[in-house]
């Protein structure tokens, strides 16, 4: 029975990330598909009300179930959040493996994650278990199959808190029922450039779906990255939630495609100029804030999608989207950096990663 | 006796330009040195009061004197301004061979110029003759020798209007005496970036010298290019005027050198970022106004001076400074372009000229 590598951030950072792949369906617009399931163990207080002892027991039980199931493969990692430095916690957040609340750590939080980061479990977040599965592109149905199987495997050794009428019971009432939150991260530069993004967001919201920035609620939409997810977890089956969400997302993708085609046809030089300047900045700046880096990378990604850059591929751009964040930068530098130093180092990393690439 | 090629703008545009050379003294800061002499022919009314017939006579006499003297070499050009299209007149202005007033043309204006544009005569501008000599870098003494010889050669066959007390008589009293205006075009990016330029200009003005943009009075200082010239043409000999002006200019050059060194030492990344971004814009933009082009080229020139770009040389940058102007662009395009089309074509020319060059 495979055991998790413990508190080794280096192992995580050095392993390739499944969802950064550019081979997923609609990869030019859909970065990744994610589903998480909220689960709790019967007859144990929710983490917010649990003692240290309770949480330790929960973590041990869940880790044991994961090991027994073999569902994270032979090579997977476990992180005791309390044991991690501030930067290592940020690394997990920047890799979208944990929530802000989780790494704030009231004690007892454990992340268990597969080496390629495609699936994992947050233990003792708001609920005892937060199962998460991530895949590149738009493929919620595939993700649902994977997470459903993971859930079934764990439930065979963990007595879930479940009510015949309500479904899965959760710490917060907004998750009761399926406990399911499905979301897709979309790159929507043309909708923003053509001034249609706010109308699109309003339309999506009216359908009972949520639109948020890449790091969840309250984060803004730098880099034109938007997460669209279901709001409601009750009254529909998991398949219905996913079907409805996928349908809307396909519409948004078409909307974005039309906006790109329209810009290329009617505002060609405006678009090329926007993309070219952003690439020039990434290639040549010596001081680069994370906000400007995200915005410029968004434009570069658009250029890659439009075939303007022969030797930059989506995977590299996705990789840059990850590495420009503060904690990753500092880990890469091998030391703590203040904001000014980060902006200088970020510019250097981006210049280095993009130099030697072909021109438009 | 060599005859001028007449009204052939193509011949001018296709010949290399002496003063764009980068081999002059202090070429990193001093672009070019220029002297012009205002002269008039005795017993002829000044151009502003002259009849068509008078002006034709003057032009014939001056052209004849130039031919006889051989002072513009074997290959030189003559342009009857009235015969030129608007764009061709602008070409002469953008090449700094004529004044705005001259190409506005009240009739009878003729430019005679050596093939490398290092020396020439405007006939029937404000005065009958405006002799002009231009050299790369800071070398007013050399320029003075050349123009003095040219002046002597012409005066042997042209009866100049001269007063023993006042010196050379001119149409405007501000030129009476020596009729000499010496100016040096300086590139002063560090003085501007470090916020010292206004104090420098005020200091220079207090010494009785003028500071202007590259196209004379009223033109602004886009591209950080400044012309410093003498204001007064009386009370000093030509040598004294030039000595005093050169001395001040050498001080300004030192001031700029110190500002560059100080930026490199104390604000290194700010400076590198400024230059890198400008180069990125020049390399990648698809829409480029002439103002932004000038500003970006100024930064690129600074980078070349600082050794940041191994395979862009000052001559290329000087060449770009010339070609980005509207008339040159349209001549290059082979057709008239509106402003939007010019901005797009300008971006393309600059991208093409700089592409394939090495990185920082």
């Amino acid at each position: 029975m495979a055991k998790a590598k413990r508190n080794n951030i280096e192992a995580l950072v050095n392993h390739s990330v499944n969802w950064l792949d550019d081979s997923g369906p609609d990869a030019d617009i859909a970065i990744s598909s994610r589903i998480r399931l909220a689960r709790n163990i019967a007859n144990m207080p929710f983490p917010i009300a649990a003692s240290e002892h309770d949480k330790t027991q929960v973590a041990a039980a869940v880790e044991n179930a994961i090991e027994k199931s073999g569902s994270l493969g032979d090579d997977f990692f476990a992180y005791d959040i309390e044991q991690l430095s501030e930067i290592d916690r940020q690394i997990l957040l920047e890799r979208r493996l944990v929530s802000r609340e989780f790494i704030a750590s009231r004690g007892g939080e454990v992340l268990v994650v597969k080496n390629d980061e495609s699936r994992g479990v947050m233990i003792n977040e708001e609920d005892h278990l937060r199962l998460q599965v991530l895949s590149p592109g738009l493929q919620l149905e595939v993700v649902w199959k994977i997470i459903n199987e993971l859930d079934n495997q764990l439930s065979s050794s963990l007595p879930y808190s479940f009510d015949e009428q309500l479904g899965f019971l959760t710490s917060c009432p907004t998750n009761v029922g399926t406990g399911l939150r499905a979301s897709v991260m979309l790159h929507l530069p043309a909708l923003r450039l053509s001034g249609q993004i706010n109308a699109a967001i309003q339309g999506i919201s009216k359908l009972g779906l949520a639109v948020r920035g890449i790091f969840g609620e309250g984060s803004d939409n730098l880099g034109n990255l938007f997460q669209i997810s279901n709001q409601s977890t009750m009254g529909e089956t998991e398949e219905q939630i996913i079907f409805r969400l996928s349908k809307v997302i396909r519409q948004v993708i078409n909307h974005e495609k039309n906006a790109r085609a329209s810009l290329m046809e009617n505002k060609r030089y405006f678009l090329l100029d926007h993309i070219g300047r952003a690439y020039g900045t990434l290639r040549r700046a010596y001081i680069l804030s994370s906000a400007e880096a995200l915005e410029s990378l968004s434009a570069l990604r658009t250029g890659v999608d439009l075939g303007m850059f022969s030797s930059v591929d989506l995977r590299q751009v996705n990789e840059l989207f990850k590495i420009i964040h503060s904690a990753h930068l500092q880990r890469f530098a091998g030391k703590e950096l203040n904001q000014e130093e980060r902006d200088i180092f970020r510019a250097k990393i981006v210049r280095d990663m993009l130099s030697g690439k072909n021109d438009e």
Side-chain angles (χ1 to χ4, degrees), chain A:
Chain A
M1 199 166 69
K3 274 277 195 188
K5 280 202 188 78
R6 204 139 202 112
N7 297 333
N8 184 342
I9 288 280
E10 211 57 45
L12 186 79
V13 171
N14 290 334
H15 199 284
S16 67
V17 180
N18 166 273
W19 67 266
L20 282 177
D21 202 356
D22 60 353
S23 63
D26 290 300
D28 54 340
I29 294 171
I31 313 267
S32 58
S33 299
R34 165 162 52 179
I35 299 180
R36 69 112 171 101
L37 295 174
R39 297 291 184 257
N40 287 280
I41 295 171
N43 304 316
M44 289 291 279
F46 290 130
I48 197 159
S51 65
E52 279 294 305
H53 179 73
D54 293 338
K55 291 197 273 191
T56 308
Q57 268 203 302
V58 165
V62 175
E63 285 201 59
N64 191 45
I66 291 170
E67 283 172 15
K68 264 173 54 186
S69 73
S71 50
L72 299 188
D74 290 337
D75 189 25
F76 62 101
F77 312 134
Y79 299 98
D80 303 292
I81 301 304
E82 287 170 289
Q83 310 287 320
L84 301 183
S85 68
E86 189 50 46
I87 283 190
D88 285 350
R89 295 181 196 196
Q90 284 287 332
I91 291 268
L92 297 178
L93 180 68
E94 291 174 5
R95 297 175 88 84
R96 307 173 63 225
L97 294 168
V98 296
S99 62
R100 279 189 203 286
E101 299 68 32
F102 190 68
I103 56 168
S105 183
R106 295 174 307 265
E109 292 85 356
V110 179
L111 169 72
V112 187
V113 64
K114 190 171 177 339
N115 55 7
D116 66 359
E117 304 175 40
S118 65
R119 52 191 90 174
V121 182
M122 279 191 280
I123 307 172
N124 291 320
E125 207 246 19
E126 191 178 279
D127 297 295
H128 292 144
L129 294 89
R130 286 279 175 101
L131 286 61
Q132 173 174 280
V133 171
L134 258 161
S135 284
L138 173 60
Q139 45 180 337
L140 284 173
E141 295 82 358
V142 171
V143 172
W144 166 243
K145 268 189 199 148
I146 298 170
I147 202 166
N148 193 32
E149 195 186 322
L150 174 60
D151 189 37
N152 288 336
Q153 289 169 332
L154 298 186
S155 69
S156 70
S157 52
L158 293 172
Y160 281 165
S161 180
F162 184 81
D163 179 275
E164 286 299 329
Q165 287 293 315
L166 293 170
F168 294 100
L169 299 178
T170 56
S171 173
C172 176
T174 58
N175 291 314
V176 167
T178 58
L180 178 146
R181 185 88 63 211
S183 68
V184 176
M185 199 208 281
L186 298 176
H187 183 232
L188 305 175
L191 286 179
R192 204 187 65 178
L193 280 176
S194 59
Q196 303 176 69
I197 192 69
N198 288 334
I201 290 176
Q202 281 168 23
I204 297 165
S205 302
K206 279 185 189 152
L207 298 169
L209 303 174
V211 185
R212 296 180 295 186
I214 50 173
F215 293 113
E217 284 174 69
S219 67
D220 53 22
N221 304 113
L222 284 171
N224 300 313
L225 294 173
F226 298 83
Q227 277 193 90
I228 304 182
S229 60
N230 62 310
Q231 296 259 41
S232 162
T233 56
M234 292 185 83
E236 289 175 300
T237 64
E238 289 85 348
E239 287 82 358
Q240 284 170 330
I241 293 172
I242 287 163
F243 177 79
R244 201 160 61 85
L245 179 61
S246 296
K247 196 171 147 189
V248 172
I249 283 167
R250 267 187 277 273
Q251 286 171 351
V252 176
I253 288 174
N254 279 334
H255 209 27
E256 168 69 17
K257 280 184 181 163
N258 291 339
R260 289 183 187 188
S262 168
L263 283 175
M264 274 305 270
E265 187 161 334
N266 305 316
K267 289 185 151 193
R268 182 177 170 77
Y269 281 99
F270 164 77
L271 183 62
L272 295 178
D273 190 60
H274 171 77
I275 294 167
R277 284 169 183 267
Y279 186 50
T281 298
L282 293 168
R283 283 288 305 275
R284 306 288 170 181
Y286 280 79
I287 301 172
L288 195 60
S289 71
S290 79
E292 188 183 16
L294 283 168
E295 289 295 286
S296 303
L297 283 172
S298 167
L300 174 58
R301 195 179 208 282
T302 313
V304 171
D305 291 342
L306 295 172
M308 279 173 73
F309 304 100
S310 58
S311 66
V312 183
D313 64 32
L314 279 190
R315 201 189 154 82
Q316 286 176 306
V317 181
N318 289 349
E319 186 71 27
L320 278 170
F321 264 112
K322 188 185 71 190
I323 206 172
I324 55 165
H325 293 291
S326 298
H328 277 83
L329 272 189
Q330 293 177 76
R331 190 156 192 96
F332 202 72
K335 59 181 176 186
E336 280 193 44
L337 302 171
N338 64 32
Q339 194 188 316
E340 193 184 331
E341 292 165 337
R342 285 203 299 273
D343 288 352
I344 289 170
F345 191 67
R346 182 180 295 110
K348 178 175 164 41
I349 294 292
V350 174
R351 283 202 314 279
D352 287 352
M353 279 187 70
L354 290 174
S355 70
K357 299 302 167 197
N358 270 8
D359 295 352
E360 316 80 337

